[in-house]
Amino acid sequence: MKLQLDPDRLFPVDPSTRSIARALYEQVESLPIISPHGHVDPAILVEDQQFPDPAELFIRYDHYVTRLMHAAGIDLDRLGIPNRTTGKPAASPREVWRTFSENWHLYAGTASGYWLQSTFAQIFGIDVQPSADNADAVYDTIQSALDTDAFRPRALFERFNIEVLATTDDPMDSLAPHQALAADPTFSGRVLPTFRPDAYLNPATPGWVDKVAALADWNGSAVGSYAGYVEALTGRRRYFVENGAVSADHGVLQPLAVDLDPAEAAALFAKGLAGNLSDAESRAFAGHMLLESARMSTEDGLVMTVHPGVYRNHSSETFATFGPDTGHDIPVTTTYVENLRPLLEKYGNNADFHLVLFSVDETVYSREVAPLAGFYPSVYIGAPWWFLDAPDSVLRFRSAVTETAGFYRSSGFIDDTRAFLSIPARHDMARRLDSAFLARLVREGRIDEQAAGRINVDLVDSMPRKVFKL
């Protein structure tokens, strides 16, 4: 079967609306990519080594891809993921690719299928749908390209027209790759670290005591000192700012903020180090540290992004056998209005504090997130994320939030990807969908085409710059 990309893909079916969408898209199609939140390893740009093989690049680390094959009964070791309990060898890259190609039909209509088709066609010039019959030929086509200098990470970074790429980093990371890129006169892009402190703030996280000890050692304070703990977090944030960071990202089950006085917080901190916290006390301390993180953002200027509502490692068997990030993180119901009120009572009206709220529970867009962003100067609506970063979900998102908060309380698109080669396809998808949504408003007489064009450009360019203080 042929793989042919429709030039009008994702545009409205109605010819008149489609024509407007096409014109709007042409205004943003070639604008630089601004990616202020993602998970690409910055070391690939420092080392600039060839990507090893198609399976490693597209399948092994992409849980969007592996989860659907697992649901179809395919063991993860057949997809190149090592079995940590039996030591059974994972399948070879070519075997992984064959399994993927045999099951290509599973991705029809999914966001992963859309991104993969776009990447195969536009980056590698592939014009056939993957299948059992052509698996080896397609593998060889991709591998031949990967073996050339034109497909090294830096060449692709420039080809993709990426202006800003943010990574996600542990608070104790040396940030050496970021420093190397910033000091390299041959590299002109901006690759920014992001402070991700979850494992240091939540006592329920395995290894939390060791994380606290590492902070104390760096800070030269006693492990049991709550004041030293807060001081160390403040210092590490400062180190990230000095190395170009613009945001701190918080992945929490619920966006709970708890206002404790310092003595209460110190008492819970001590109990946590001793392993004596109840579940309720652990949640309270983590909620207090979310509030403390907001306070720190008002002082050091880091944008605070909150990615809540994911039940991590839902399958204990899969986690034990194959580890985290293997496709079994599942969305849960999320609430913001009451949970975040203590934080917003203190900092919500501070226009210099930027709080970007994401969700994988789309029921809250119109009920909670858009109304909060439509009042508080600090609150912005995060782009559809993870299970919602798909064509129909993006259009539902725009419909859910725009009537309440407009376009200028949103963050602009966030690709949130580990898959470096998918970045152009993801951003292009968002640009097409926003063009489609705006075209409908033009046809309905709700905005004029000139205003729609300005909004479309702002969603791609000025809004992410403003929201993430770029």
Side-chain angles (χ1 to χ4, degrees):
M1 293 177 59
K2 287 288 187 181
L3 196 170
Q4 295 177 320
L5 297 183
D6 184 340
D8 287 336
R9 58 194 179 278
L10 302 182
F11 294 160
V13 174
D14 169 66
S16 297
T17 314
R18 173 169 283 207
S19 176
I20 297 170
R22 187 186 303 123
L24 291 172
Y25 170 71
E26 288 171 355
Q27 297 177 48
V28 298
E29 178 182 10
S30 300
L31 291 179
I33 289 175
I34 298 172
S35 177
H37 175 77
H39 301 277
V40 170
D41 183 355
I44 69 169
L45 292 164
V46 176
E47 298 162 3
D48 201 31
Q49 298 297 310
Q50 293 168 341
F51 292 105
D53 60 72
E56 177 114 343
L57 189 59
F58 288 107
I59 301 168
R60 164 73 173 85
Y61 296 102
D62 193 340
H63 51 80
Y64 283 92
V65 173
T66 60
R67 63 189 302 274
L68 280 180
M69 282 190 277
H70 181 270
I74 298 167
D75 290 339
L76 292 177
D77 52 17
R78 290 184 60 196
L79 305 178
I81 302 174
N83 188 312
R84 305 197 304 186
T85 58
T86 67
K88 177 183 176 183
S92 70
R94 192 173 288 274
E95 290 171 330
V96 171
W97 190 263
R98 288 170 180 164
T99 299
F100 164 72
S101 299
E102 290 165 4
N103 291 279
W104 174 245
H105 61 281
L106 299 177
Y107 300 96
T110 68
S112 296
Y114 179 86
W115 299 326
L116 287 166
Q117 286 190 104
S118 298
T119 303
F120 292 161
Q122 294 185 305
I123 297 179
F124 293 96
I126 293 168
D127 61 1
V128 293
Q129 302 281 352
S131 69
D133 293 336
N134 65 29
D136 285 338
V138 171
Y139 183 99
D140 291 338
T141 296
I142 296 174
Q143 188 65 63
S144 295
L146 296 180
D147 290 340
T148 67
D149 288 343
F151 280 78
R152 290 179 184 269
R154 288 198 183 194
L156 290 173
F157 189 97
E158 186 172 337
R159 175 179 168 185
F160 295 164
N161 197 20
I162 299 173
E163 181 178 323
V164 178
L165 179 70
T167 64
T168 300
D169 308 272
D170 185 277
M172 292 303 298
D173 196 294
S174 71
L175 304 182
H178 293 88
Q179 293 166 350
L181 289 171
D184 188 344
T186 67
F187 184 77
S188 59
R190 292 180 66 188
V191 180
L192 312 178
T194 299
F195 191 78
R196 181 67 178 260
D198 303 339
Y200 295 77
L201 305 185
N202 186 353
T205 303
W208 177 75
V209 172
D210 293 335
K211 300 289 188 184
V212 171
L215 283 172
D217 182 64
W218 176 82
N219 194 50
S221 53
V223 174
S225 168
Y226 170 70
Y229 165 71
V230 173
E231 182 180 74
L233 285 168
T234 302
R236 291 306 300 176
R237 290 171 63 104
R238 186 183 311 114
Y239 180 77
F240 269 63
V241 171
E242 291 167 353
N243 282 277
V246 297
S247 67
D249 184 51
H250 300 264
V252 294
L253 184 60
Q254 291 291 343
L256 176 66
V258 178
D259 192 2
L260 301 176
D261 67 43
E264 289 178 295
L268 291 180
F269 178 73
K271 289 186 71 174
L273 291 176
N276 295 328
L277 282 178
S278 67
D279 289 345
E281 288 172 328
S282 182
R283 285 193 296 272
F285 184 80
H288 171 71
M289 292 311 300
L290 191 71
L291 187 66
E292 277 289 276
S293 296
R295 176 189 60 78
M296 294 176 192
S297 280
T298 66
E299 296 172 356
D300 61 27
L302 286 179
V303 176
M304 185 175 188
T305 62
V306 180
H307 284 85
V310 177
Y311 191 117
R312 303 283 178 180
N313 305 311
H314 192 268
S315 170
S316 55
E317 177 187 4
T318 304
F319 177 70
T321 306
F322 295 102
D325 300 321
T326 47
H328 49 112
D329 294 348
I330 307 297
V332 300
T333 302
T334 310
T335 58
Y336 299 80
V337 173
E338 288 296 331
N339 281 344
L340 280 181
R341 190 160 184 259
L343 188 156
L344 295 173
E345 284 281 272
K346 285 196 166 188
Y347 310 117
N349 290 316
N350 181 344
D352 292 329
F353 169 53
H354 288 192
L355 174 64
V356 188
L357 301 180
F358 292 84
S359 179
V360 285
D361 173 9
E362 65 178 300
T363 67
V364 303
Y365 281 142
S366 61
R367 188 182 70 245
E368 299 188 37
V369 177
L372 287 170
F375 173 77
Y376 286 102
S378 65
V379 178
Y380 293 89
I381 307 167
W385 162 57
W386 207 350
F387 289 90
L388 304 182
D389 55 358
D392 289 335
S393 294
V394 171
L395 290 175
R396 289 195 299 270
F397 161 81
R398 282 285 173 222
S399 294
V401 303
T402 302
E403 289 181 320
T404 299
F407 292 99
Y408 288 89
R409 301 305 302 166
S410 61
S411 66
F413 184 65
I414 305 292
D415 57 68
D416 188 46
T417 188
R418 290 174 173 81
F420 181 56
L421 269 72
S422 76
I423 290 175
R426 292 173 190 244
H427 283 264
D428 183 74
M429 180 194 75
R431 296 176 188 192
R432 289 175 177 275
L433 292 168
D434 283 340
S435 299
F437 183 79
L438 287 160
R440 177 171 69 81
L441 298 191
V442 171
R443 282 283 288 155
E444 292 174 357
R446 298 166 68 179
I447 58 176
D448 61 44
E449 193 165 349
Q450 183 178 0
R454 182 179 67 250
I455 292 167
N456 213 22
V457 171
D458 288 343
L459 290 174
V460 171
D461 187 82
S462 67
M463 285 312 299
R465 294 184 195 278
K466 174 186 176 182
V467 173
F468 284 90
K469 303 181 179 181
L470 296 169

PDB file of all heavy atoms in Angstrom, residues 12 14 27 33 47 54 56 64 66 98 113 146 191 216 237 248-249 274 284 298-299 305 372 430 438 440 455 466 469:
ATOM      1  N   PRO A  12     -10.512  21.000   7.580  1.00  0.00           N
ATOM      2  CA  PRO A  12     -11.941  20.678   7.493  1.00  0.00           C
ATOM      3  C   PRO A  12     -12.324  20.122   6.125  1.00  0.00           C
ATOM      4  O   PRO A  12     -11.701  20.432   5.104  1.00  0.00           O
ATOM      5  CB  PRO A  12     -12.619  22.025   7.754  1.00  0.00           C
ATOM      6  CG  PRO A  12     -11.608  22.832   8.501  1.00  0.00           C
ATOM      7  CD  PRO A  12     -10.276  22.403   7.962  1.00  0.00           C
ATOM      8  N   ASP A  14     -15.257  20.603   4.560  1.00  0.00           N
ATOM      9  CA  ASP A  14     -15.974  21.619   3.778  1.00  0.00           C
ATOM     10  C   ASP A  14     -14.979  22.428   2.945  1.00  0.00           C
ATOM     11  O   ASP A  14     -14.016  22.997   3.484  1.00  0.00           O
ATOM     12  CB  ASP A  14     -16.728  22.546   4.726  1.00  0.00           C
ATOM     13  CG  ASP A  14     -17.273  23.774   4.030  1.00  0.00           C
ATOM     14  OD1 ASP A  14     -18.154  23.631   3.177  1.00  0.00           O
ATOM     15  OD2 ASP A  14     -16.763  24.884   4.322  1.00  0.00           O
ATOM     16  N   GLN A  27       0.778  30.552   6.624  1.00  0.00           N
ATOM     17  CA  GLN A  27       1.433  31.646   7.354  1.00  0.00           C
ATOM     18  C   GLN A  27       2.344  31.136   8.477  1.00  0.00           C
ATOM     19  O   GLN A  27       3.243  31.853   8.924  1.00  0.00           O
ATOM     20  CB  GLN A  27       0.383  32.581   7.947  1.00  0.00           C
ATOM     21  CG  GLN A  27      -0.486  33.278   6.920  1.00  0.00           C
ATOM     22  CD  GLN A  27      -1.548  34.143   7.576  1.00  0.00           C
ATOM     23  OE1 GLN A  27      -1.260  34.920   8.482  1.00  0.00           O
ATOM     24  NE2 GLN A  27      -2.782  34.005   7.129  1.00  0.00           N
ATOM     25  N   ILE A  33      10.562  26.158  15.193  1.00  0.00           N
ATOM     26  CA  ILE A  33       9.955  25.357  16.262  1.00  0.00           C
ATOM     27  C   ILE A  33      10.471  25.830  17.608  1.00  0.00           C
ATOM     28  O   ILE A  33      11.684  25.935  17.831  1.00  0.00           O
ATOM     29  CB  ILE A  33      10.275  23.863  16.071  1.00  0.00           C
ATOM     30  CG1 ILE A  33       9.497  23.307  14.870  1.00  0.00           C
ATOM     31  CG2 ILE A  33       9.966  23.063  17.327  1.00  0.00           C
ATOM     32  CD1 ILE A  33       9.847  21.873  14.524  1.00  0.00           C
ATOM     33  N   GLU A  47      27.332  14.913  21.518  1.00  0.00           N
ATOM     34  CA  GLU A  47      28.133  13.846  20.907  1.00  0.00           C
ATOM     35  C   GLU A  47      27.948  13.787  19.395  1.00  0.00           C
ATOM     36  O   GLU A  47      28.870  13.413  18.669  1.00  0.00           O
ATOM     37  CB  GLU A  47      27.757  12.514  21.547  1.00  0.00           C
ATOM     38  CG  GLU A  47      28.057  12.484  23.044  1.00  0.00           C
ATOM     39  CD  GLU A  47      27.312  11.377  23.773  1.00  0.00           C
ATOM     40  OE1 GLU A  47      26.597  10.593  23.104  1.00  0.00           O
ATOM     41  OE2 GLU A  47      27.434  11.304  25.016  1.00  0.00           O
ATOM     42  N   PRO A  54      16.813   1.767  13.159  1.00  0.00           N
ATOM     43  CA  PRO A  54      15.410   2.192  13.148  1.00  0.00           C
ATOM     44  C   PRO A  54      14.607   1.733  14.365  1.00  0.00           C
ATOM     45  O   PRO A  54      13.753   2.471  14.859  1.00  0.00           O
ATOM     46  CB  PRO A  54      14.872   1.559  11.858  1.00  0.00           C
ATOM     47  CG  PRO A  54      16.064   1.411  10.975  1.00  0.00           C
ATOM     48  CD  PRO A  54      17.187   1.080  11.904  1.00  0.00           C
ATOM     49  N   GLU A  56      15.666   1.146  17.481  1.00  0.00           N
ATOM     50  CA  GLU A  56      16.032   1.957  18.635  1.00  0.00           C
ATOM     51  C   GLU A  56      15.437   3.360  18.521  1.00  0.00           C
ATOM     52  O   GLU A  56      15.004   3.954  19.505  1.00  0.00           O
ATOM     53  CB  GLU A  56      17.560   2.043  18.728  1.00  0.00           C
ATOM     54  CG  GLU A  56      18.048   2.914  19.857  1.00  0.00           C
ATOM     55  CD  GLU A  56      18.790   2.139  20.934  1.00  0.00           C
ATOM     56  OE1 GLU A  56      18.658   0.907  20.984  1.00  0.00           O
ATOM     57  OE2 GLU A  56      19.495   2.778  21.711  1.00  0.00           O
ATOM     58  N   TYR A  64       4.422   5.225  23.462  1.00  0.00           N
ATOM     59  CA  TYR A  64       3.236   5.382  22.626  1.00  0.00           C
ATOM     60  C   TYR A  64       3.126   4.194  21.651  1.00  0.00           C
ATOM     61  O   TYR A  64       2.042   3.721  21.337  1.00  0.00           O
ATOM     62  CB  TYR A  64       3.333   6.648  21.777  1.00  0.00           C
ATOM     63  CG  TYR A  64       3.071   7.961  22.453  1.00  0.00           C
ATOM     64  CD1 TYR A  64       4.105   8.693  23.018  1.00  0.00           C
ATOM     65  CD2 TYR A  64       1.792   8.505  22.488  1.00  0.00           C
ATOM     66  CE1 TYR A  64       3.869   9.924  23.601  1.00  0.00           C
ATOM     67  CE2 TYR A  64       1.544   9.734  23.055  1.00  0.00           C
ATOM     68  CZ  TYR A  64       2.584  10.447  23.619  1.00  0.00           C
ATOM     69  OH  TYR A  64       2.360  11.667  24.189  1.00  0.00           O
ATOM     70  N   THR A  66       5.020   1.105  21.821  1.00  0.00           N
ATOM     71  CA  THR A  66       5.086  -0.237  22.387  1.00  0.00           C
ATOM     72  C   THR A  66       3.794  -0.649  23.091  1.00  0.00           C
ATOM     73  O   THR A  66       3.444  -1.826  23.103  1.00  0.00           O
ATOM     74  CB  THR A  66       6.262  -0.356  23.373  1.00  0.00           C
ATOM     75  OG1 THR A  66       6.100   0.595  24.444  1.00  0.00           O
ATOM     76  CG2 THR A  66       7.586  -0.098  22.656  1.00  0.00           C
ATOM     77  N   ARG A  98      10.516  -5.967  12.204  1.00  0.00           N
ATOM     78  CA  ARG A  98       9.587  -6.867  11.527  1.00  0.00           C
ATOM     79  C   ARG A  98       8.280  -7.014  12.320  1.00  0.00           C
ATOM     80  O   ARG A  98       7.188  -7.009  11.734  1.00  0.00           O
ATOM     81  CB  ARG A  98      10.244  -8.231  11.329  1.00  0.00           C
ATOM     82  CG  ARG A  98      11.343  -8.238  10.270  1.00  0.00           C
ATOM     83  CD  ARG A  98      12.121  -9.540  10.301  1.00  0.00           C
ATOM     84  NE  ARG A  98      13.189  -9.558   9.287  1.00  0.00           N
ATOM     85  CZ  ARG A  98      14.198 -10.424   9.305  1.00  0.00           C
ATOM     86  NH1 ARG A  98      14.289 -11.335  10.273  1.00  0.00           N
ATOM     87  NH2 ARG A  98      15.122 -10.375   8.342  1.00  0.00           N
ATOM     88  N   GLY A 113       0.371   6.764  14.850  1.00  0.00           N
ATOM     89  CA  GLY A 113       0.359   6.437  13.425  1.00  0.00           C
ATOM     90  C   GLY A 113       0.523   7.671  12.562  1.00  0.00           C
ATOM     91  O   GLY A 113       1.244   7.655  11.550  1.00  0.00           O
ATOM     92  N   LEU A 146      20.334   6.898   8.107  1.00  0.00           N
ATOM     93  CA  LEU A 146      20.941   7.138   9.418  1.00  0.00           C
ATOM     94  C   LEU A 146      22.456   7.042   9.365  1.00  0.00           C
ATOM     95  O   LEU A 146      23.145   7.651  10.196  1.00  0.00           O
ATOM     96  CB  LEU A 146      20.400   6.141  10.451  1.00  0.00           C
ATOM     97  CG  LEU A 146      18.912   6.222  10.787  1.00  0.00           C
ATOM     98  CD1 LEU A 146      18.538   5.171  11.830  1.00  0.00           C
ATOM     99  CD2 LEU A 146      18.523   7.610  11.280  1.00  0.00           C
ATOM    100  N   VAL A 191      19.343  25.094  23.791  1.00  0.00           N
ATOM    101  CA  VAL A 191      18.918  23.855  24.445  1.00  0.00           C
ATOM    102  C   VAL A 191      18.940  24.121  25.944  1.00  0.00           C
ATOM    103  O   VAL A 191      20.003  24.317  26.534  1.00  0.00           O
ATOM    104  CB  VAL A 191      19.823  22.671  24.072  1.00  0.00           C
ATOM    105  CG1 VAL A 191      19.354  21.400  24.768  1.00  0.00           C
ATOM    106  CG2 VAL A 191      19.830  22.467  22.560  1.00  0.00           C
ATOM    107  N   ALA A 216      21.650  17.631  50.772  1.00  0.00           N
ATOM    108  CA  ALA A 216      22.350  18.106  51.963  1.00  0.00           C
ATOM    109  C   ALA A 216      23.860  18.105  51.753  1.00  0.00           C
ATOM    110  O   ALA A 216      24.563  19.046  52.154  1.00  0.00           O
ATOM    111  CB  ALA A 216      21.968  17.242  53.166  1.00  0.00           C
ATOM    112  N   ARG A 237      17.992  25.251  42.122  1.00  0.00           N
ATOM    113  CA  ARG A 237      17.204  26.015  41.156  1.00  0.00           C
ATOM    114  C   ARG A 237      18.048  27.160  40.595  1.00  0.00           C
ATOM    115  O   ARG A 237      18.024  27.434  39.392  1.00  0.00           O
ATOM    116  CB  ARG A 237      15.926  26.542  41.810  1.00  0.00           C
ATOM    117  CG  ARG A 237      14.890  25.478  42.136  1.00  0.00           C
ATOM    118  CD  ARG A 237      13.754  26.066  42.980  1.00  0.00           C
ATOM    119  NE  ARG A 237      13.033  27.087  42.255  1.00  0.00           N
ATOM    120  CZ  ARG A 237      11.822  26.920  41.706  1.00  0.00           C
ATOM    121  NH1 ARG A 237      11.204  25.753  41.807  1.00  0.00           N
ATOM    122  NH2 ARG A 237      11.235  27.915  41.072  1.00  0.00           N
ATOM    123  N   ALA A 248      10.461  25.072  35.832  1.00  0.00           N
ATOM    124  CA  ALA A 248      10.532  23.934  36.741  1.00  0.00           C
ATOM    125  C   ALA A 248       9.270  23.121  36.519  1.00  0.00           C
ATOM    126  O   ALA A 248       8.162  23.659  36.558  1.00  0.00           O
ATOM    127  CB  ALA A 248      10.630  24.392  38.188  1.00  0.00           C
ATOM    128  N   ASP A 249       9.428  21.830  36.301  1.00  0.00           N
ATOM    129  CA  ASP A 249       8.295  20.974  35.944  1.00  0.00           C
ATOM    130  C   ASP A 249       7.970  20.023  37.082  1.00  0.00           C
ATOM    131  O   ASP A 249       8.862  19.431  37.689  1.00  0.00           O
ATOM    132  CB  ASP A 249       8.632  20.183  34.683  1.00  0.00           C
ATOM    133  CG  ASP A 249       7.457  19.354  34.215  1.00  0.00           C
ATOM    134  OD1 ASP A 249       6.360  19.922  34.081  1.00  0.00           O
ATOM    135  OD2 ASP A 249       7.635  18.150  33.968  1.00  0.00           O
ATOM    136  N   ALA A 274      12.714   9.421  58.895  1.00  0.00           N
ATOM    137  CA  ALA A 274      12.683   8.241  59.773  1.00  0.00           C
ATOM    138  C   ALA A 274      11.797   7.133  59.217  1.00  0.00           C
ATOM    139  O   ALA A 274      11.733   6.042  59.800  1.00  0.00           O
ATOM    140  CB  ALA A 274      12.201   8.658  61.159  1.00  0.00           C
ATOM    141  N   ALA A 284       0.507  15.501  52.472  1.00  0.00           N
ATOM    142  CA  ALA A 284       0.538  16.875  52.992  1.00  0.00           C
ATOM    143  C   ALA A 284       1.910  17.504  52.798  1.00  0.00           C
ATOM    144  O   ALA A 284       2.014  18.672  52.388  1.00  0.00           O
ATOM    145  CB  ALA A 284       0.145  16.883  54.461  1.00  0.00           C
ATOM    146  N   THR A 298       8.301  32.561  42.367  1.00  0.00           N
ATOM    147  CA  THR A 298       8.074  34.012  42.446  1.00  0.00           C
ATOM    148  C   THR A 298       9.383  34.748  42.718  1.00  0.00           C
ATOM    149  O   THR A 298       9.500  35.936  42.427  1.00  0.00           O
ATOM    150  CB  THR A 298       7.059  34.373  43.541  1.00  0.00           C
ATOM    151  OG1 THR A 298       7.587  34.055  44.834  1.00  0.00           O
ATOM    152  CG2 THR A 298       5.737  33.644  43.327  1.00  0.00           C
ATOM    153  N   GLU A 299      10.359  34.048  43.266  1.00  0.00           N
ATOM    154  CA  GLU A 299      11.629  34.675  43.611  1.00  0.00           C
ATOM    155  C   GLU A 299      12.688  34.519  42.517  1.00  0.00           C
ATOM    156  O   GLU A 299      13.446  35.452  42.244  1.00  0.00           O
ATOM    157  CB  GLU A 299      12.147  34.101  44.934  1.00  0.00           C
ATOM    158  CG  GLU A 299      11.226  34.427  46.115  1.00  0.00           C
ATOM    159  CD  GLU A 299      11.626  33.714  47.391  1.00  0.00           C
ATOM    160  OE1 GLU A 299      12.582  32.906  47.348  1.00  0.00           O
ATOM    161  OE2 GLU A 299      10.986  33.953  48.429  1.00  0.00           O
ATOM    162  N   THR A 305       5.462  24.600  35.740  1.00  0.00           N
ATOM    163  CA  THR A 305       4.543  23.777  34.960  1.00  0.00           C
ATOM    164  C   THR A 305       4.144  22.571  35.808  1.00  0.00           C
ATOM    165  O   THR A 305       4.965  21.990  36.516  1.00  0.00           O
ATOM    166  CB  THR A 305       5.175  23.310  33.638  1.00  0.00           C
ATOM    167  OG1 THR A 305       6.313  22.496  33.900  1.00  0.00           O
ATOM    168  CG2 THR A 305       5.608  24.503  32.801  1.00  0.00           C
ATOM    169  N   LEU A 372      -9.971  29.072  35.620  1.00  0.00           N
ATOM    170  CA  LEU A 372      -8.857  29.562  36.433  1.00  0.00           C
ATOM    171  C   LEU A 372      -7.949  30.474  35.601  1.00  0.00           C
ATOM    172  O   LEU A 372      -7.554  31.554  36.058  1.00  0.00           O
ATOM    173  CB  LEU A 372      -8.051  28.382  36.984  1.00  0.00           C
ATOM    174  CG  LEU A 372      -8.706  27.567  38.101  1.00  0.00           C
ATOM    175  CD1 LEU A 372      -7.904  26.291  38.370  1.00  0.00           C
ATOM    176  CD2 LEU A 372      -8.852  28.378  39.378  1.00  0.00           C
ATOM    177  N   ALA A 430      -0.036  20.303  15.192  1.00  0.00           N
ATOM    178  CA  ALA A 430      -0.673  21.353  15.988  1.00  0.00           C
ATOM    179  C   ALA A 430      -0.977  22.584  15.140  1.00  0.00           C
ATOM    180  O   ALA A 430      -2.042  23.207  15.281  1.00  0.00           O
ATOM    181  CB  ALA A 430       0.226  21.727  17.162  1.00  0.00           C
ATOM    182  N   LEU A 438      -9.402  27.755  13.723  1.00  0.00           N
ATOM    183  CA  LEU A 438      -9.585  29.177  13.427  1.00  0.00           C
ATOM    184  C   LEU A 438     -10.386  29.378  12.151  1.00  0.00           C
ATOM    185  O   LEU A 438     -11.202  30.306  12.061  1.00  0.00           O
ATOM    186  CB  LEU A 438      -8.224  29.859  13.324  1.00  0.00           C
ATOM    187  CG  LEU A 438      -7.487  30.072  14.652  1.00  0.00           C
ATOM    188  CD1 LEU A 438      -6.003  30.291  14.425  1.00  0.00           C
ATOM    189  CD2 LEU A 438      -8.097  31.251  15.411  1.00  0.00           C
ATOM    190  N   ARG A 440     -12.792  27.576  11.056  1.00  0.00           N
ATOM    191  CA  ARG A 440     -14.216  27.410  11.376  1.00  0.00           C
ATOM    192  C   ARG A 440     -14.786  28.676  12.002  1.00  0.00           C
ATOM    193  O   ARG A 440     -15.892  29.116  11.666  1.00  0.00           O
ATOM    194  CB  ARG A 440     -14.427  26.231  12.331  1.00  0.00           C
ATOM    195  CG  ARG A 440     -15.888  26.055  12.758  1.00  0.00           C
ATOM    196  CD  ARG A 440     -16.108  24.772  13.515  1.00  0.00           C
ATOM    197  NE  ARG A 440     -15.497  24.733  14.821  1.00  0.00           N
ATOM    198  CZ  ARG A 440     -16.039  25.287  15.913  1.00  0.00           C
ATOM    199  NH1 ARG A 440     -17.182  25.955  15.843  1.00  0.00           N
ATOM    200  NH2 ARG A 440     -15.429  25.174  17.082  1.00  0.00           N
ATOM    201  N   ILE A 455      -3.645  35.473  15.342  1.00  0.00           N
ATOM    202  CA  ILE A 455      -3.740  34.513  16.449  1.00  0.00           C
ATOM    203  C   ILE A 455      -2.908  33.273  16.146  1.00  0.00           C
ATOM    204  O   ILE A 455      -2.177  32.765  17.013  1.00  0.00           O
ATOM    205  CB  ILE A 455      -5.211  34.128  16.701  1.00  0.00           C
ATOM    206  CG1 ILE A 455      -5.982  35.320  17.257  1.00  0.00           C
ATOM    207  CG2 ILE A 455      -5.315  32.942  17.658  1.00  0.00           C
ATOM    208  CD1 ILE A 455      -7.494  35.134  17.231  1.00  0.00           C
ATOM    209  N   LYS A 466       6.231  34.188  25.509  1.00  0.00           N
ATOM    210  CA  LYS A 466       5.739  34.931  26.653  1.00  0.00           C
ATOM    211  C   LYS A 466       5.559  34.022  27.867  1.00  0.00           C
ATOM    212  O   LYS A 466       6.046  34.317  28.970  1.00  0.00           O
ATOM    213  CB  LYS A 466       4.409  35.605  26.311  1.00  0.00           C
ATOM    214  CG  LYS A 466       3.760  36.274  27.520  1.00  0.00           C
ATOM    215  CD  LYS A 466       2.370  36.815  27.173  1.00  0.00           C
ATOM    216  CE  LYS A 466       1.704  37.384  28.437  1.00  0.00           C
ATOM    217  NZ  LYS A 466       0.338  37.878  28.144  1.00  0.00           N
ATOM    218  N   LYS A 469       8.803  32.727  29.185  1.00  0.00           N
ATOM    219  CA  LYS A 469       9.785  33.788  29.440  1.00  0.00           C
ATOM    220  C   LYS A 469      11.040  33.620  28.587  1.00  0.00           C
ATOM    221  O   LYS A 469      12.175  33.733  29.052  1.00  0.00           O
ATOM    222  CB  LYS A 469      10.152  33.844  30.935  1.00  0.00           C
ATOM    223  CG  LYS A 469       8.952  34.060  31.833  1.00  0.00           C
ATOM    224  CD  LYS A 469       9.335  34.136  33.299  1.00  0.00           C
ATOM    225  CE  LYS A 469       8.126  34.369  34.200  1.00  0.00           C
ATOM    226  NZ  LYS A 469       8.477  34.465  35.621  1.00  0.00           N
TER     227      LYS A 469
END
